[in-house]
Amino acid sequence: MTLGEIGEQTVSTAGGVFSAAWLLIVFPLIGAAALLLGSRRLDRAYGVLGCMAPLASFVVAAALFVAMLGREPEQRAISVPLYDLFAVGDYQVGVGLLVDQLSIAFSLLITGVGSLIHVYSIGYMAHDENRQRFFGYLNLFVAAMLLLVLADDYLVLYVGWEGVGLASYLLIGFWQHKDSAAVAAKKAFVVNRVGDFGMSLAVMSMVVVFGTTAFAGVFPAAADASEGWLIAIGLLLLLGACGKSAQFPLQSWLLDAMEGPTPVSALIHAATMVTAGVYLVVRSAAIYAGAEPAQTAVVVVGTITALMGAIIGCAKDDIKKALAGSTMSQIGYMMLAAGLGPAGYAFAIFHLLTHGFFKAELFLGAGSVMHGMNDEVDMRRYGGLRTVMRTTYVTFAAGYLAIIGIPPFAGFFSKDSIIEAAFANNFVAGLGALVGAGITGFYMTRVMLMTFFGERRWAPDAHPHESPSVMTVPLWILAGLSLVGGAALLYVGGGIVQWLEPVTGEEHVELGIPVWAMTLVILAVVLVGVAVAWQIFGRQPLPVTAPAGSPVTVAARRDLYGDAVNEAVFMRPGQYLTRSLVYVDNRGVDGAVVGTASAVGQFSSRLRRWQTGFVRSYALSMLAGAAVVVIAMLLVRLP
């Protein structure tokens, strides 16, 4: 498929099982409404209600997927119109769904992995008195994300986009009795508003340029639009993607988002929010096809974030924040691939799906460790847990091997594909991706060694134990997907590349060296990172208190000064601007209003003295006035 044909596959009208696609969104919406608006009596059934909603949506998504397999590849895009929202002149917006190869892949990930996270949450949140509300928020999150990926119009997509932002705010700040959680939720909300501003401007620009925001109108018209407009829209969409997917320079919120319950971290990082930006860029392939500078910007942002996230992950002692840094890095790989256009779109989604498996596994595994360690998150107070938490250790190890890319685990197939595509299209980006792979091997080995190996550094009151089966069963399933998911997605039924080709197009560029040689180079770089981590953290005792470290280590611990830059460049000047505007308002605007009122009041008080109430005074005034009139008339009549 050529660049000009991207997004122009035949779209059929819904029929049969496809007419029920709206149930994908309705089931979690009903679950959210029941749990959030229902009485406290539902607290006994919170787990059943909360889990049945995404499971029901998963069944619908699976049925749609099977029905799509029975169609020809170019006939698999199905339009499901629901209702007309509004019309202003020639501009009309209808609410409808687009079930195609891209949206169904996301739907299966969101509902499948999301369901496992819901089941895990039954055990993790069992002792939280607000667990009913928690599951309601989880259901709302899933519903908003499904609306985002299934919408057939950018304006409707934007509704899901904001719904995801709202749900993330509610979940990150769920334990709002902690100041850190409340601040983290506000930070995520504010930073995402910056990205959402770009997203809203992009949608408005589409109305101006194309006269519509519907995919069916925008994508075909993009081939004839001016490059300047396409570049502007592409960059604005990228700004929106940077906010939701925590990419440079809007990445600062993600690390603090770990203040929410661990299942929230798993849902945000694996199946929902941070993948939204990647979806947006890939879905907008027709726009980026005519905006090469915008595509290059996507590559730059992805490469920078892949390296930043990896470096930050190297210095975090909080297990969840170390994994959060890895999420930034892995999403950076996906954005890098998406910036390569048809040569990388399918690989971006491939890695997104495998990342959903192993990152959910890693976060839920971290939650299992915390569950057994009295909610301790400092890895310097772990050590030797593999002997007392064997299931958590084995399943976490599967996620570890997948993320660093050891064959035959999932990340080996998906991340290597991105690195190879990057080298074939842009040597600098490829080199950055390769270095990032080595750093990934280092920081993830560090996490494994500090948590499960070495001497026991537990606190005196710690009594680590394995999690209940309601938590470990999802871990086993995700570990299995981390093992076989990559090979299955790449080879079964033609593979993910062939599956997505009608939506994203495909473009193959020669690597220049044999693929097996590139594979060996990547694996060697990863193993070097593993070896360095073993030398530092596996062969010598680990101090419970972190040493001061080098300037690079200090910078990584401070998130490469991302917050400091935001404070210096945006927050402080914003505060000064606000204070200046308040001063101008108080002294200028208010001063003018108050001064005018005061002048009128003083004039009135003096004028009031003429109103004495004595007839003789009024008669004298009239006589004086008449005299003035007569004198004036006489003067006028003089030559």
Side-chain angles (χ1 to χ4, degrees), residues 460-536:
D461 60 341
H463 303 286
H465 55 278
E466 192 54 85
S467 300
S469 58
V470 73
M471 296 171 64
T472 56
V473 169
L475 292 180
W476 281 116
I477 296 174
L478 290 167
L481 291 171
S482 299
L483 173 60
V484 304
L489 286 169
L490 188 61
Y491 298 119
V492 174
I496 188 71
V497 176
Q498 182 178 329
W499 173 260
L500 293 173
E501 190 269 340
V503 181
T504 62
E506 182 181 1
E507 182 180 300
H508 181 70
V509 180
E510 291 297 330
L511 182 59
I513 63 173
V515 173
W516 62 265
M518 190 73 248
T519 299
L520 290 178
V521 170
I522 297 171
L523 189 57
V525 171
V526 170
L527 292 178
V528 167
V530 172
V532 172
W534 171 257
Q535 181 68 27
I536 297 175

Side-chain angles (χ1 to χ4, degrees), residues 82-158:
L82 299 179
Y83 60 90
D84 295 331
L85 186 60
F86 65 83
V88 180
D90 295 332
Y91 177 52
Q92 298 180 347
V93 175
V95 177
L97 307 180
L98 176 61
V99 182
D100 65 358
Q101 294 91 328
L102 181 60
S103 62
I104 200 65
F106 270 86
S107 297
L108 288 169
L109 175 69
I110 295 164
T111 57
V113 175
S115 295
L116 293 174
I117 294 171
H118 276 70
V119 173
Y120 175 96
S121 299
I122 295 176
Y124 192 87
M125 300 296 290
H127 302 294
D128 194 297
E129 61 180 11
N130 294 314
R131 54 187 179 268
Q132 178 179 330
R133 177 162 56 90
F134 177 78
F135 274 82
Y137 290 161
L138 286 183
N139 279 192
L140 180 62
F141 208 155
V142 170
M145 189 66 190
L146 286 170
L147 176 61
L148 191 159
V149 300
L150 287 165
D152 65 353
D153 187 295
Y154 278 101
L155 190 60
V156 181
L157 183 155
Y158 188 74

Side-chain angles (χ1 to χ4, degrees), residues 1-3 6-7 102 106 277-292 294-296 298-299 333-353 417-418 421 425 496-497 500-501 503-507:
M1 178 172 289
T2 63
L3 291 177
I6 291 176
L102 181 60
F106 270 86
V278 180
Y279 168 80
L280 180 66
V281 173
V282 174
R283 176 61 79 187
S284 305
I287 293 174
Y288 285 100
E292 185 176 347
Q295 271 193 330
T296 302
V298 176
V299 172
Y333 275 99
M334 301 172 206
M335 293 295 285
L336 188 163
L340 300 177
Y345 285 138
F347 297 135
I349 301 303
F350 181 23
H351 193 53
L352 186 149
L353 296 175
S417 297
I418 292 177
N425 289 268
I496 188 71
V497 176
L500 293 173
E501 190 269 340
V503 181
T504 62
E506 182 181 1
E507 182 180 300

Side-chain angles (χ1 to χ4, degrees), residues 545-555 557:
T545 301
S550 65
V552 175
T553 302
V554 174
R557 287 174 182 164

Side-chain angles (χ1 to χ4, degrees), residues 306-605:
L307 291 172
M308 284 185 63
I311 293 171
I312 290 172
C314 292
K316 294 297 182 183
D317 293 330
D318 184 321
I319 187 171
K320 290 175 65 178
K321 289 192 175 183
L323 294 177
S326 80
T327 298
M328 288 170 51
S329 181
Q330 298 304 306
I331 300 294
Y333 275 99
M334 301 172 206
M335 293 295 285
L336 188 163
L340 300 177
Y345 285 138
F347 297 135
I349 301 303
F350 181 23
H351 193 53
L352 186 149
L353 296 175
T354 60
H355 178 264
F357 303 151
F358 60 70
K359 185 49 64 69
E361 165 61 48
L362 290 170
F363 265 110
L364 296 185
S368 181
V369 171
M370 293 168 57
H371 183 269
M373 291 290 290
N374 297 331
D375 291 328
E376 178 63 67
V377 296
D378 190 346
M379 293 185 292
R380 293 184 178 275
R381 296 188 176 276
Y382 292 165
L385 291 178
R386 73 184 188 283
T387 59
V388 291
M389 303 183 70
R390 295 185 181 276
T391 295
T392 300
Y393 163 63
V394 172
T395 55
F396 194 94
Y400 157 71
L401 294 171
I403 192 173
I404 67 174
I406 300 298
F409 289 86
F412 167 73
F413 298 97
S414 59
K415 189 162 67 174
D416 279 24
S417 297
I418 292 177
I419 297 174
E420 292 164 8
F423 268 113
N425 289 268
N426 187 310
F427 180 80
V428 175
L431 185 61
L434 181 62
V435 172
I439 301 176
T440 301
F442 173 83
Y443 73 76
M444 284 306 305
T445 302
R446 175 178 180 267
V447 170
M448 280 295 295
L449 293 174
M450 292 179 70
T451 302
F452 296 104
F453 292 85
E455 61 183 9
R456 299 178 177 184
R457 303 178 299 277
W458 310 339
D461 60 341
H463 303 286
H465 55 278
E466 192 54 85
S467 300
S469 58
V470 73
M471 296 171 64
T472 56
V473 169
L475 292 180
W476 281 116
I477 296 174
L478 290 167
L481 291 171
S482 299
L483 173 60
V484 304
L489 286 169
L490 188 61
Y491 298 119
V492 174
I496 188 71
V497 176
Q498 182 178 329
W499 173 260
L500 293 173
E501 190 269 340
V503 181
T504 62
E506 182 181 1
E507 182 180 300
H508 181 70
V509 180
E510 291 297 330
L511 182 59
I513 63 173
V515 173
W516 62 265
M518 190 73 248
T519 299
L520 290 178
V521 170
I522 297 171
L523 189 57
V525 171
V526 170
L527 292 178
V528 167
V530 172
V532 172
W534 171 257
Q535 181 68 27
I536 297 175
F537 300 100
R539 300 189 61 184
Q540 51 191 343
L542 187 70
V544 176
T545 301
S550 65
V552 175
T553 302
V554 174
R557 287 174 182 164
R558 297 181 181 179
D559 306 339
L560 298 182
Y561 302 108
D563 287 335
V565 171
N566 288 338
E567 181 175 343
V569 177
F570 298 108
M571 194 189 80
R572 294 302 179 192
Q575 288 181 331
Y576 296 144
L577 177 61
T578 301
R579 291 169 184 169
S580 300
L581 291 175
V582 170
Y583 179 83
V584 171
D585 182 66
N586 289 337
R587 298 299 181 92
V589 178
D590 288 351
V593 173
V594 173
T596 301
S598 177
V600 171
Q602 293 179 10
F603 177 75
S604 299
S605 65

